[in-house]
């Protein structure tokens, strides 16, 4: 694949492997300055650095979720292509537990309810499962069928204390279904009148005005649609990409979203006062394909997981390219930012097809 900067990947040579050294652990981190497109090596003690690597998933890593706010060690949950969920202790840097409940089917989404003691997982065996992890347990407490074997991940929104709304792909390839959690009661089904192709990604969010939840959906035809969940209708839609929308994320505070596709671009868009999607600037990439996009909780950093094995960091305010992180030997599938209460301790995790999880410190200025 093409390099992200002139001169190719060999412009900064890696040191030769030494005894006990894994050559995969060499990294190159670069910062981009426009308009000269000049890239500068970022030293390990700089603002972005690789902290450590988690190995042992035994399969490509598809999804990641942090739980770092509660008493006890910070945890990272990972879902693999072989159906296993690993619970990683970030203090010991080892997997404390491995959950097997999806019959070997690829786990594509994870989240927690209330606390780290209740986990919810989605896999391509058409199941969403809940787990009791309290007091060392690894017990599946319930499950339901989604009817979908696709790659669209669920989206979870807390409505009231102890109650959530879960959006998941349905049996029909364009359909979004919403259920109440933990009761499992069906809320509604959303299906566009126009043929959009397969549902690719969804994002539930709650407007600050206190009105009912809204849902963003990306489709195979490159369209992004905004749904009013209570009225079960599309408020607006926009052709954001010429290719399928592979991923999206949304910032409710700024009413601004971002989406990625199999093309060489990351696109941003906003919601105006009439709840209409307006396309804004896009960032062109050297290599095609974005697996996932994540906006950090402080709304300062946007991270992308690339098919070209790279992680890209952007300033969220203006989509200014900040850094390209290169460690993984294969496609990067997923990215997650930690939820540490102290921003100085927060980290970013990336999971890859190479079966490794990289843990990074990025712009932790507090």
């Amino acid at each position: 694949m093409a390099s992200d900067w002139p001169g190719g990947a060999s412009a900064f040579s890696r040191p030769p492997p030494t005894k006990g050294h894994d050559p995969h652990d060499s990294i190159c981190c670069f910062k981009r300055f426009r308009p000269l497109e000049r890239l500068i090596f970022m030293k390990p003690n700089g603002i972005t650095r690789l902290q450590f690597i988690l190995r042992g998933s035994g399969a490509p890593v598809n999804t990641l979720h942090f739980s770092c706010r509660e008493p006890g060690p910070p945890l990272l949950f990972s879902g693999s292509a072989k159906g296993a969920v690993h619970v990683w202790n970030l203090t010991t840097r080892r997997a404390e537990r491995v959950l097997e409940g999806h019959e070997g089917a690829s786990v594509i989404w994870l989240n927690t309810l209330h606390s780290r003691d209740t986990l919810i997982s989605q896999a391509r065996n058409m199941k969403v499962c809940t787990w009791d992890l309290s007091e060392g347990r690894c017990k599946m407490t319930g499950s339901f069928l989604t009817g979908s074997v696709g790659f669209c991940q669920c989206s979870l929104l807390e409505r009231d204390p102890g109650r959530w709304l879960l959006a998941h792909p349905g049996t029909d390839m364009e359909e979004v279904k919403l259920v109440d959690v933990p009761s499992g009661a069906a809320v509604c089904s959303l299906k566009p009148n126009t043929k959009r192709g397969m549902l690719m990604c969804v994002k539930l969010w709650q407007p600050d005005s206190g009105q009912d939840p809204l849902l963003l959906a990306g489709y195979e035809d490159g369209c992004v649609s905004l749904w009013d969940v209570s009225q079960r209708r599309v408020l607006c839609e926009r052709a954001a990409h010429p290719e399928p929308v592979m991923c999206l994320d949304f910032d409710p505070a700024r009413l601004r979203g971002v989406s990625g596709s199999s093309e060489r671009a990351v696109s941003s868009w906003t919601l105006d006062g009439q709840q209409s999607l307006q396309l804004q600037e896009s960032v062109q990439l050297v290599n095609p394909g974005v697996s996932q996009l994540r906006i950090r909780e402080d709304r300062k950093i946007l991270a992308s997981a690339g098919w070209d094995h790279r992680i890209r960091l952007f300033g969220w305010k203006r989509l200014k390219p900040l850094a390209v992180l290169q460690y993984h030997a294969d496609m990067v599938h997923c990215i997650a930012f930690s939820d540490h209460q102290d921003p100085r301790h927060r980290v970013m995790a990336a999971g890859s097809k190479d079966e490794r999880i990289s843990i990074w410190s990025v712009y932790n200025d507090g």
Side-chain angles (χ1 to χ4, degrees), residues 41-244:
F41 181 69
M42 298 174 67
K43 297 179 181 180
N45 62 354
I47 52 181
T48 299
R49 66 185 178 90
L50 178 64
Q51 288 195 341
F52 55 89
I53 302 299
L54 299 175
R55 300 174 177 84
S57 64
V61 180
N62 293 332
T63 184
L64 297 166
H65 177 72
F66 280 99
S67 181
C68 305
R69 287 185 179 271
E70 300 169 42
L75 300 180
L76 174 65
F77 300 90
S78 70
S80 80
K82 289 187 177 179
V85 176
H86 287 71
V87 184
W88 302 91
N89 182 322
L90 296 181
T91 301
T92 63
R93 304 180 185 181
R94 297 181 181 277
E96 287 187 342
R97 285 171 276 181
V98 180
L99 313 178
E100 301 276 1
H102 285 285
E103 302 157 357
S106 186
V107 178
I108 61 172
W109 178 79
L110 297 167
N111 213 315
T112 48
L113 302 176
H114 263 318
S115 69
R116 64 179 65 185
D117 291 339
T118 306
L119 180 73
I120 183 168
S121 61
Q122 174 198 10
R124 295 192 66 208
N125 62 343
M126 301 188 292
K127 277 187 179 181
V128 171
C129 300
T130 53
W131 303 80
D132 178 7
L133 305 183
S134 61
E135 299 178 349
R137 298 185 185 94
C138 299
K139 181 182 178 182
M140 186 190 299
T141 56
S143 67
F144 68 88
L145 290 174
T146 64
S148 171
V149 295
F151 294 94
C152 179
Q153 298 178 322
C154 294
S155 181
L156 189 70
L157 177 69
E158 187 170 11
R159 299 293 310 279
D160 299 301
R163 285 190 60 221
W164 295 263
L165 189 63
L166 178 75
H168 68 83
T171 304
D172 294 338
M173 65 178 186
E174 298 174 327
E175 182 182 27
V176 186
K177 287 187 175 181
L178 292 103
V179 298
D180 179 78
V181 175
S183 72
V187 175
C188 67
S189 176
L190 308 176
K191 190 175 179 181
N193 295 324
T194 306
K195 288 193 174 183
R196 294 293 179 200
M198 185 178 293
L199 178 71
M200 304 298 292
C201 48
V202 293
K203 175 75 174 183
L204 277 167
W205 61 284
Q206 181 72 54
D208 290 337
S209 60
Q211 67 188 76
D212 290 324
L214 302 179
L215 179 138
L216 287 158
Y219 295 94
E220 189 178 4
D221 68 349
C223 178
V224 174
S225 299
L226 177 67
W227 288 86
D228 185 312
V229 173
S230 62
Q231 298 183 30
R232 294 147 172 79
R233 68 182 181 94
V234 174
L235 297 176
C236 60
E237 51 193 10
R238 189 72 63 194
H241 300 272
E243 301 291 336

